[in-house]
Amino acid sequence: METVLMRGKPVADVYREAITKKITAAKEHGLTVTLAIVVVGDDPASHVYKDRLVKLIESLGGAAKVIMLPADSDEEKVIGVIKKLNRNRYVTGILPMMPMPKHINGDAVGAAVSANKDVDCLNPINAGDVFMGRSPWAACTPRACMATLAHYGIELEGKNVVVIGRSNVVGKPVSVLLLNKNATVTVCHSRTRNLPELLKTADVIVAAVGKPCFVQPDMVKEGVVIVDVGINAVDGKLVGDVDPAVAEKASAFTPVPGGIGVVSNMMVMECLTRNL
C-alpha cells in the first residue's frame, strides 16, 4: 500500500492563487484588504502566529494592522479596541489572538468582533450559523482539515470518522463539517472509555488533543487516514498528536510540521476575502 503524504503547501497554493486575484481586484477599485490583529500580552505562540499572518497577508497583496496591548490591559479596554476596529471602514477583518491573558474572558472578546469582520468564527452568531449548516465559515483549522481532505480526494460519505478533542476551535466545529459531508462521526475526549477500541474502527482520525504522539500504531487499523492537527514542542522539535510511526499503517496522513498548519493560515485569508 502506497501512503499518501498530505502536505499542506499544495493545498494552500490553490487557495493562494484565488485569494491573490480577489485582493488584486479590490486594490484596482481602491480597496486595500486589511487584517487587524489584536495581541494582548507576550504569549510567544501568539507572536509567532501574528508574524506569520502579517507576512502572509502582505505576500498576497494585502495589509496588516497590528495592535499590541500590554498583558495587564483590562477586558473593557480590549473590547473597546475591537469595537473601534469594527467601525473602521479601512479594516476588512479582525483577529484577536487567543488565548487571552487569564483575567480576560476570551469568549467575550470574540463575541465583540463584528460578524462580518470575524475571520476565525469567534462571534457566536457565526458559530451558530456553522452549527446549523447555514454557513461554511467555520474556524480556520477545521476548514483547513476539510480543505486538505478534499484536495487529496479523501471520500468522507459513509466513513467512520473519530475526532479526538472537543474544543470549540477544532473538535466541535470539525465534527459538524464532517457530518455535513455525510460521515459518521464519533467525538472522543478525556473522559471517553475504550478510546483505543474506538480508534481501531475509524476510517479517518482527526487528532486535536494537544498531547504529543498520543495516537500510537497499535491504536489504528491498516489503511486509516490521519489528519494530525496537533503542534507540540518536544526537545526543540515540533511533533503532532500522532506518533510518526502510525504513517506506516496509514493510507494517507498529514505531516507535522508542514501539514494542517500551513493550510490553516491560508484559511484565515480566504475568510478575510469572503465578501469581495
Side-chain angles (χ1 to χ4, degrees), residues 5-6 17 57-58 78 82 145 157 163 176 179 194 212 271:
L5 180 61
M6 298 190 291
E17 183 177 354
I57 184 65
E58 290 177 349
V78 177
I82 296 292
C145 294
E157 184 165 343
V163 177
V176 171
L179 285 169
N194 301 320
C271 194

Side-chain angles (χ1 to χ4, degrees), residues 22 26 31 33 92-93 114-119 137 269-276:
K22 281 187 171 185
L31 172 65
V33 174
T92 315
S114 172
N116 67 331
K117 291 191 177 185
D118 178 18
V119 297
W137 300 109
M269 302 304 148
E270 187 198 28
C271 194
L272 179 67
T273 58
R274 68 190 183 276
N275 295 320
L276 297 180

Side-chain angles (χ1 to χ4, degrees), residues 74-252:
D74 60 31
E75 187 175 309
E76 184 179 0
K77 180 177 181 179
V78 177
I79 290 177
V81 168
I82 296 292
K83 289 181 176 179
K84 188 175 180 180
L85 292 169
N86 286 338
R87 297 189 297 267
N88 187 336
R89 65 189 181 94
Y90 297 107
V91 170
T92 315
I94 304 168
L95 181 62
M97 288 282 114
M98 300 293 177
M100 289 279 153
K102 291 183 179 180
H103 66 282
I104 296 175
N105 184 338
D107 289 342
V109 172
V113 179
S114 172
N116 67 331
K117 291 191 177 185
D118 178 18
V119 297
D120 202 20
C121 203
L122 297 173
N123 186 301
I125 293 173
N126 291 338
D129 282 344
V130 169
F131 181 82
M132 296 296 289
R134 294 193 292 250
S135 169
W137 300 109
C140 60
T141 300
R143 287 193 295 113
C145 294
M146 301 304 292
T148 301
L149 289 166
H151 181 85
Y152 287 97
I154 305 300
E155 179 60 50
L156 293 169
E157 184 165 343
K159 296 294 180 65
N160 290 328
V161 182
V162 173
V163 177
I164 315 173
R166 54 177 170 178
S167 72
N168 290 331
V169 292
V170 183
K172 289 178 184 176
V174 81
S175 67
V176 171
L177 298 182
L178 289 161
L179 285 169
N180 290 345
K181 293 295 183 181
N182 299 316
T184 300
V185 183
T186 302
V187 180
C188 298
H189 45 79
S190 59
R191 301 292 189 272
T192 300
R193 298 177 180 178
N194 301 320
L195 178 59
E197 285 74 13
L198 286 171
L199 289 175
K200 287 174 184 174
T201 70
D203 302 307
V204 180
I205 295 172
V206 178
V209 69
K211 295 183 179 179
C213 301
F214 177 79
V215 179
Q216 294 291 312
D218 61 355
M219 300 165 100
V220 307
K221 68 179 183 181
E222 290 284 345
V224 67
V225 173
I226 298 288
V227 179
D228 193 348
V229 178
I231 300 178
N232 310 283
V234 176
D235 297 330
K237 295 181 179 181
L238 290 180
V239 298
D241 290 348
V242 180
D243 190 305
V246 173
E248 295 180 12
K249 296 180 76 172
S251 60

